[in-house]
Structures are given as C-alpha cells and as structure tokens.
C-alpha cells in the first residue's frame, strides 16, 4: 500500500512540476525580452542626442555633430566588447584590490540560458550594458559640441568607453570597493550620468569656451540653426 501511495503521489506531482518549469521558462523569456527592448530604447536615445545637439548648434557644425553621434555607438560597442565588459565585471579576477579587475580580452559566454543568472542570458546583459557605455560618451559629446575636433573626440570615446567608464562601473556594479561599502546606484545616476558629467566637466575646462563666445565683458549668444530639430 505504501508503494502504491508513493507512486500515486509521484504521478500527481508531474503536472505540477511541468507547470512550474513552463512558468520559469516564460518568466525567463519575458525578462530577456524586456531587457532587450530597454536596450533598444537606450540605443534610440542616440537619435535624440544627435537631434538636440545638432539643432542647438550652428549650421556649419551640424555635420560634425551628427557624424560624432553616428560613430559613438559602434565605437562604444566594439571597445566595450574588446575589454570594457571584462573590466566592468571581472568576477573574482581582481588585480589591484577591489579597485581594478580584468577577466581578459573579448567576451565569452560563461553559461547558457538560465545558467547565467536565472533571469537573462550573458549576451542580453552585454547588449544592455554596452548601450549604456556608449550613452555615457554622448553626455560628453553635448558638452563639448562646436569646440572639439572630430578625431580628438573619437580618441576620447575610445579611451573612455574601453577603460574609464568600465573601471569606475566595476567599483559598484562589478562588486568593487563601493559595493563592499553597500553603495547603491539608482538607474545609472552615478556610474552613467555622473561619470559622464565629470568627464564632460573635465573636457570643457581643458577646451575652454567656443571661439567668439566672449568679447570683452560681453557674452555673444550662438543661436541654434533648427529649433524644430532640437525639440524632436
């Protein structure tokens, strides 16, 4: 009788186990889909940056600004894939305390599907983080618009996205010394926006004001060439 009872309970539990597995897979798919959509929305922010920066600048600099905003995403994704992601999420491979860590060049999936973290895949995480890495560089682009050469800005983007942003991000999101102090970042307000803001401040201090902006004790306004473009 005991054996029959155990068999009955086992058979009865099969539909429940199958339902739980299906529910877990559905949640996993939904989480992946949502993060991918969020990453695509972040990518579309570059269109907004390009519109507002070019619209508020003079017509002669419009092409320069649009070209910068076009090249930032590919440069950001490639350099973040080369070394940025490994710098930002070194795991246990810390080189200097919990200040600098590195997993190695390139990206390699440590697990597949739910084996990564149970909510989304490694590649979904990389795509989402790479989009924000590129976004951090565009913060600087708006601050130095009309007063920096194209090649100089692209070199800055290469260094900033591949090294500066990932290292600072690893202090919190990668389990570094800020994480050990229980520091919590809200929606990238520190590691994306604040770090980008500080880089922008350093840039404008080094570059100085736009030529012709200040004449004696007077400030000469530079009107944007297209307000409709800036307000899109």
């Amino acid at each position: 009788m005991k054996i029959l009872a155990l068999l009955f309970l086992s058979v009865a539990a099969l539909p429940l186990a199958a339902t739980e597995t299906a529910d877990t897979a559905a949640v996993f798919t939904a989480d992946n889909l949502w993060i991918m959509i969020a990453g695509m929305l972040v990518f579309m922010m570059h269109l907004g940056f390009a519109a507002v920066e070019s619209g508020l600048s003079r017509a002669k600099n419009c092409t320069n600004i649009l070209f910068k905003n076009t090249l930032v995403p590919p440069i950001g994704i490639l350099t973040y894939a080369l070394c940025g992601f490994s710098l930002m999420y070194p795991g246990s491979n810390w080189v200097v305390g919990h200040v600098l860590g590195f997993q190695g060049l390139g990206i390699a999936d440590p697990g597949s599907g739910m084996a990564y973290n149970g909510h989304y895949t490694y590649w979904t995480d990389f795509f989402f983080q790479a989009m924000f890495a590129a976004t951090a560089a565009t913060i600087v682009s708006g601050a130095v618009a009309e007063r920096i050469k194209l090649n100089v800005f692209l070199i800055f983007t290469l260094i900033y996205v591949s090294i500066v942003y990932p290292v600072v991000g690893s202090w919190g999101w990668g389990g570094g010394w800020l994480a050990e102090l229980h520091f919590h970042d809200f929606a990238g307000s520190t590691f994306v926006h604040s770090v980008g803001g500080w880089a922008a401040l350093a840039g404008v201090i080094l570059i100085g004001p736009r030529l012709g902006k200040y004449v004696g004790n007077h400030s000469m306004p530079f009107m944007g060439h297209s307000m409709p473009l800036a307000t899109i």
Side-chain angles (χ1 to χ4, degrees):
M1 292 297 295
K2 290 183 178 180
I3 295 175
L4 290 175
L6 290 174
L7 289 173
F8 176 77
L9 290 174
S10 299
V11 173
L14 287 176
L16 180 61
T19 302
E20 290 179 350
T21 302
D23 289 343
T24 301
V27 172
F28 178 76
T29 302
D31 288 344
N32 265 282
L33 181 61
W34 170 244
I35 294 175
M36 291 293 289
I37 292 174
M40 287 185 281
L41 290 175
V42 175
F43 174 77
M44 291 177 64
M45 289 173 61
H46 293 279
L47 300 177
F49 289 136
V52 69
E53 290 176 27
S54 59
L56 292 177
S57 64
R58 289 167 292 180
K60 67 176 184 178
N61 295 315
C62 182
T63 302
N64 175 283
I65 292 173
L66 290 175
F67 194 64
K68 284 193 303 182
N69 282 276
T70 301
L71 290 182
V72 165
I75 290 176
I77 294 173
L78 291 175
T79 55
Y80 197 68
L82 178 64
C83 61
F85 196 47
S86 295
L87 280 169
M88 196 163 181
Y89 297 97
S92 59
N93 301 307
W94 291 98
V95 180
V96 182
H98 278 74
V99 177
L100 179 64
F102 188 54
Q103 286 201 68
L105 294 175
I107 51 178
D109 188 355
S112 59
M114 298 182 191
Y116 181 59
N117 67 359
H119 295 284
Y120 46 83
T121 68
Y122 176 87
W123 302 108
T124 303
D125 189 24
F126 167 76
F127 172 72
F128 184 75
Q129 296 294 341
M131 289 299 98
F132 273 106
T135 299
T138 59
I139 296 174
V140 184
S141 173
V144 299
E146 293 196 297
R147 26 181 194 173
I148 189 172
K149 291 184 177 180
L150 176 64
N151 57 351
V152 175
F153 178 77
L154 296 181
I155 293 172
F156 158 80
T157 301
L158 186 70
I159 298 173
Y160 180 78
V161 180
S162 62
I163 300 175
V164 178
Y165 169 76
V167 170
V168 178
S170 72
W171 297 347
W173 290 344
W177 64 275
L178 282 177
E180 292 181 334
L181 296 175
H182 305 290
F183 176 84
H184 294 284
D185 175 88
F186 180 74
S189 57
T190 297
F191 300 123
V192 179
H193 302 286
S194 178
V195 175
W198 287 112
L201 177 62
V204 298
I205 291 175
L206 290 173
I207 297 172
R210 290 185 287 185
L211 296 178
K213 175 69 175 178
Y214 299 101
V215 179
N217 296 325
H218 300 283
S219 175
M220 305 297 293
F222 289 155
M223 303 303 295
H225 80 284
S226 176
M227 291 307 296
L229 183 62
T231 55
I232 291 178

